[in-house]
């Protein structure tokens, strides 16, 4: 209903800027909220907007129009067959773009589109309200189901590379983290819905990739947790954590570390399958110093039947300028010297545009004297290089919140192997 009389023209432009807008200015919100699955009642507050031409109805004091919506709309449809996640809830969806998707834009009747550019490249929609959905939307569906957890997001139309982070919470253990999916560049047109399906079966890391340095067999061979063995599966300090004495204690056991030492200052590469093809210590320094490491405190993963989070993103070898296996990033050969160093790690995640240039290493801890230590807090990965200034040690990469180090450790420790790209 409008005040006054409209007699000057037979048609007028109608602007719908949404609840957060005014006149011809529409605001696509960076923070959106949906109280229950598969509803669009939040659209007006989130940035839904449009234009139309209102035309006089002959013989009546009325104008008729059909609104042409000018935003694009994403429907997120997560599913999972991971039984660990079936007891968890979707608490929010974070949409990151390589260009702007949220800001204040102008409804332009000349071209019939939203115009203007903004700086907002992230939209987060909170999922959940009260009652059944007080903790968020359930994740107990093996197949796509909008009625179970469908979440709608309003974005600026355009061509975007989207990195989606689905935030999941276990309300029993209070662990909350994210599962990341990166989508290829695509066009998202105005006045259209796009179904974004996602299988949230998080990455699972086997318990059989821990080795003493250059051992012939893995640390718990013959005692695997999933074969009824005594391998501890919970990090020390957690309720239910155990210690096992069933680890190798002599070189008669193929799980025992490689004891070979050719002499002071002599390069000593691994020779067994477990470690011989790993990055050498020089390469480890390139990842640490030039791989732009970025700590991710929230990326969820599982190992040995339990849910954890925490790890580091590194640039792939092909994306590290100057990468050289024969010299470390400082120009020397660490394979024949005694050096260690630490570098800082960013707490900012790779951008949506850059995500494909990185790989992820989880903080899987390590085994020592039959104990599993600090899972989710540090990652400790063997290199293929023994320490040349003394027997019984080898080089590894250790990372944690805010830092990456290339150091040497005792070869009898059960560190992780593999995972580098």
């Amino acid at each position: 209903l409008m005040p006054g009389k409209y007699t000057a023209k037979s048609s007028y432009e109608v602007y719908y800027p949404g609840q957060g807008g005014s006149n011809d200015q529409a605001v696509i919100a960076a923070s959106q909220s949906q109280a229950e699955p598969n509803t669009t009642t939040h659209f007006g507050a989130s940035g839904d907007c449009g234009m139309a031409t209102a035309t006089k109805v002959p013989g009546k004091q009325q104008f008729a129009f059909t609104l042409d919506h000018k935003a694009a709309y994403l429907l997120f449809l997560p599913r999972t067959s991971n039984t660990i996640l079936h007891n968890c809830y979707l608490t929010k969806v974070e949409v990151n773009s390589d260009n702007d998707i949220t800001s204040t834009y102008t409804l332009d009747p000349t071209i019939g589109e939203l115009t203007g550019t903004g700086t907002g490249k992230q939209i987060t929609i909170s999922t959940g309200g009260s009652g059944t959905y007080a903790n968020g939307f359930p994740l107990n569906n093996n197949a796509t189901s909008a009625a179970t957890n469908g979440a709608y997001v309003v974005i600026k139309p355009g061509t975007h590379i989207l990195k989606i982070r689905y935030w999941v919470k276990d309300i029993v253990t209070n662990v909350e983290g994210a599962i990341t999916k990166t989508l290829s560049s695509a066009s998202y047109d105005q006045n259209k819905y796009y179904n974004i399906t996602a299988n949230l079966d998080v990455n699972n890391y086997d318990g059989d990739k821990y080795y003493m340095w250059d051992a012939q067999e893995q640390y718990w061979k013959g005692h695997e947790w999933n074969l009824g063995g005594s391998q501890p599966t919970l990090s020390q300090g957690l309720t239910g954590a155990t210690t096992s004495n069933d680890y190798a204690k002599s070189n008669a056991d193929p799980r025992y570390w490689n004891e070979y030492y050719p002499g002071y200052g002599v390069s000593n590469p691994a020779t067994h399958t477990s470690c011989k093809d790993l990055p050498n210590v020089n390469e480890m320094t390139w990842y640490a110093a030039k791989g732009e490491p970025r700590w991710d405190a929230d990326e969820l993963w599982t190992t040995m039947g339990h849910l954890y989070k925490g790890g580091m993103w590194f640039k792939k070898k092909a994306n590290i300028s100057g990468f050289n296996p024969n010299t470390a990033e400082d120009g020397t050969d660490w394979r024949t010297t005694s050096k260690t160093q630490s570098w800082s790690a960013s707490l900012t995640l790779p951008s949506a545009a850059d995500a494909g240039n990185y790989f992820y290493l989880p903080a899987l801890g390590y085994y020592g004297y039959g104990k599993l230590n600090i899972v989710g807090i540090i990652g400790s990965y063997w290199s293929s290089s023994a320490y040349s200034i003394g027997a019984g040690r080898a080089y590894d990469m250790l990372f944690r919140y805010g830092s990456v180090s290339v150091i040497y450790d005792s070869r009898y420790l059960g560190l992780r192997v593999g995972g580098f790209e």
Side-chain angles (χ1 to χ4, degrees):
L1 297 177
M2 303 291 289
K5 296 181 179 180
Y6 292 82
T7 60
K9 295 189 294 185
S10 61
S11 65
Y12 293 88
E13 292 299 320
V14 175
Y15 296 88
Y16 167 56
Q19 294 178 25
S22 177
N23 298 319
D24 62 351
Q25 301 294 294
V27 179
I28 295 182
S31 295
Q32 303 179 21
S33 180
Q34 185 176 324
E36 60 184 50
N38 202 31
T39 179
T40 61
T41 56
H42 61 293
F43 270 17
S46 298
D48 184 29
C49 57
M51 294 182 288
T53 298
T55 303
K56 179 77 165 58
V57 178
K60 296 184 179 180
Q61 296 303 311
Q62 296 177 3
F63 286 79
F65 66 90
T66 299
L67 194 66
D68 186 12
H69 294 261
K70 297 303 177 183
Y73 311 89
L74 309 180
L75 171 56
F76 292 98
L77 297 165
R79 68 186 189 281
T80 182
S81 57
N82 188 317
T83 55
I84 296 174
L85 296 182
H86 278 180
N87 296 319
C88 300
Y89 290 84
L90 181 72
T91 58
K92 60 184 177 181
V93 179
E94 181 186 302
V95 184
N96 301 276
S97 175
D98 63 325
N99 50 28
D100 67 299
I101 52 175
T102 169
S103 189
T104 299
Y105 301 101
T106 300
L107 291 161
D108 187 337
T110 302
I111 61 174
E113 298 176 2
L114 286 176
T115 60
T117 57
T119 58
K121 297 182 179 181
Q122 182 185 93
I123 294 174
T124 301
I125 183 164
S126 301
T127 50
S130 59
T132 303
Y133 304 111
N135 296 311
F137 297 170
L139 277 174
N140 53 10
N141 52 312
N142 293 320
T144 296
S145 172
T148 301
N149 49 35
Y152 291 87
V153 171
V154 181
I155 69 168
K156 179 196 176 186
T159 299
H160 311 300
I161 298 173
L162 299 181
K163 184 180 75 172
I164 315 300
R165 303 196 91 197
Y166 298 87
W167 286 78
V168 175
K169 184 174 184 178
D170 185 330
I171 62 171
V172 176
T173 62
N174 211 35
V175 171
E176 183 176 15
I179 301 167
T180 304
K181 305 287 184 179
T182 301
L183 308 181
S184 300
S185 179
S187 178
Y188 300 91
D189 296 332
Q190 64 184 24
N191 202 23
K192 290 186 178 180
Y193 287 84
Y194 295 87
N195 291 346
I196 310 295
T197 61
N199 185 351
L200 300 190
D201 287 348
V202 297
N203 285 329
N204 180 66
Y205 298 95
D206 295 336
D208 59 2
K209 298 297 190 298
Y210 296 90
Y211 283 80
M212 294 186 183
W213 186 77
D214 202 28
Q216 297 179 59
E217 299 286 358
Q218 57 107 347
Y219 197 95
W220 293 107
K221 180 70 173 180
H223 305 277
E224 292 91 337
W225 71 279
N226 54 338
L227 298 176
S230 60
Q231 177 181 3
T233 61
L234 283 171
S235 188
Q236 289 296 305
L238 297 179
T239 302
T242 59
T243 301
S244 171
N245 201 40
D246 293 327
Y247 58 92
K249 301 178 181 65
S250 76
N251 57 16
D253 192 322
R255 301 174 299 159
Y256 202 66
W257 50 278
N258 185 344
E259 298 176 283
Y260 179 66
Y261 179 63
Y264 186 92
V266 179
S267 177
N268 183 15
T271 58
H272 296 124
T273 302
S274 62
C275 292
K276 69 182 181 64
D277 296 323
L278 300 178
N280 66 37
V281 63
N282 291 330
E283 293 172 304
M284 289 292 200
T285 68
W286 285 99
Y287 283 114
K290 303 298 183 181
E292 297 185 17
R294 298 168 183 266
W295 176 256
D296 188 337
D298 298 306
E299 185 73 12
L300 289 173
W301 41 269
T302 57
T303 187
M304 295 178 281
H306 299 287
L307 185 67
Y308 294 96
K309 62 180 182 177
M312 195 75 77
W313 294 94
F314 294 90
K315 276 197 168 180
K316 297 175 182 177
K317 178 169 64 174
N319 298 311
I320 300 176
S321 179
F323 194 98
N324 188 343
N326 297 314
T327 59
E329 62 85 25
D330 65 1
T332 66
D333 189 350
W334 283 31
R335 294 172 296 185
T336 57
T337 60
S338 175
K339 288 189 175 182
T340 63
Q341 190 170 338
S342 295
W343 295 266
S344 62
S346 172
L347 303 181
T348 301
L349 299 183
S351 68
D354 207 24
N357 295 324
Y358 286 77
F359 68 95
Y360 179 79
L361 289 179
L364 284 157
Y366 69 95
Y367 282 100
Y369 298 106
K371 296 179 182 179
L372 180 58
N373 298 282
I374 45 187
V375 178
I377 299 174
I378 74 159
S380 196
Y381 289 74
W382 282 127
S383 77
S384 62
S385 304
Y387 179 61
S388 65
I389 315 299
R393 288 174 287 187
Y395 277 107
D396 63 283
M397 175 192 283
L398 182 149
F399 58 78
R400 66 182 77 199
Y401 176 95
S403 71
V404 182
S405 303
V406 177
I407 59 175
Y408 48 83
D409 269 311
S410 297
R411 299 186 198 180
Y412 62 76
L413 293 174
L415 308 189
R416 292 290 295 193
V417 301
F420 288 84
E421 297 182 25

